[in-house]
Amino acid sequence: IGTLNRILVLRSFDAQDELFAERARIVESGDFFGASDQLVDCTFETWAPYPFVKPQLAGAFGAFYEVRIYGIRPAGMRPTLAAWEAAVPARTKLSPIVVAAYALDGATPRMLHVCPYADLNERTRVRGEAVSSGIWPPKGGPDWLTVMQATICVPAKFSPMR
């Protein structure tokens, strides 16, 4: 649900040099994840994980993943991070957040988070419970958001996230 025929590849690197070396290798070789013949476009983005949410890029988490990307007003990253840090412990008691990060590139400050769900009914239930109990959205967090986008993804057969 969202942009169709799209594959999101989330990877982590221990060092910035590794990230840029791998990006250069892909672009220079023309081997985009073994799928170059099927691709019409490829976008690279660099994200830094929120320091208080450990990325979980492999495991059995759910049949559906909600990927949310928010634009953030200039000077809004610090207050957004502070609001999230205060709210994440209670929110993750309802369901996990497998990735939360902020962009290090691009013209617009932005953040993303990925939440897995067993099915779309669970997503509706968890989100409703989080809002009705006052756990989510983080207090003051939405004050800094501009564009908001949500995409529902299903893991590919080869995905390490299931």
Side-chain angles (χ1 to χ4, degrees), residues 21-129:
E22 176 62 3
R23 197 173 280 179
R25 184 200 65 76
I26 291 170
V27 172
E28 291 169 11
S29 72
D31 180 12
F32 286 68
F33 310 105
S36 298
D37 293 344
Q38 290 80 37
L39 297 177
V40 295
D41 188 22
C42 184
T43 302
F44 293 99
E45 297 179 359
T46 305
W47 300 85
Y50 283 17
F52 46 87
V53 177
K54 183 180 182 334
Q56 301 172 65
L57 301 180
F61 304 110
F64 293 90
Y65 289 81
E66 181 176 28
V67 178
R68 287 189 166 241
I69 298 177
Y70 301 121
I72 298 179
R73 293 180 186 192
M77 192 58 68
R78 280 193 181 152
T80 299
L81 284 168
W84 269 67
E85 186 170 18
V88 161
R91 171 59 180 79
T92 55
K93 288 179 182 175
L94 299 177
S95 71
I97 298 173
V98 295
V99 175
Y102 58 94
L104 296 177
D105 56 13
T108 302
R110 60 201 187 285
M111 61 172 276
L112 76 77
H113 69 275
V114 179
C115 297
Y117 298 100
D119 56 41
L120 296 179
N121 290 328
E122 180 190 27
R123 175 190 174 272
T124 300
R125 180 190 59 75
V126 167
R127 293 188 61 78
E129 185 177 335

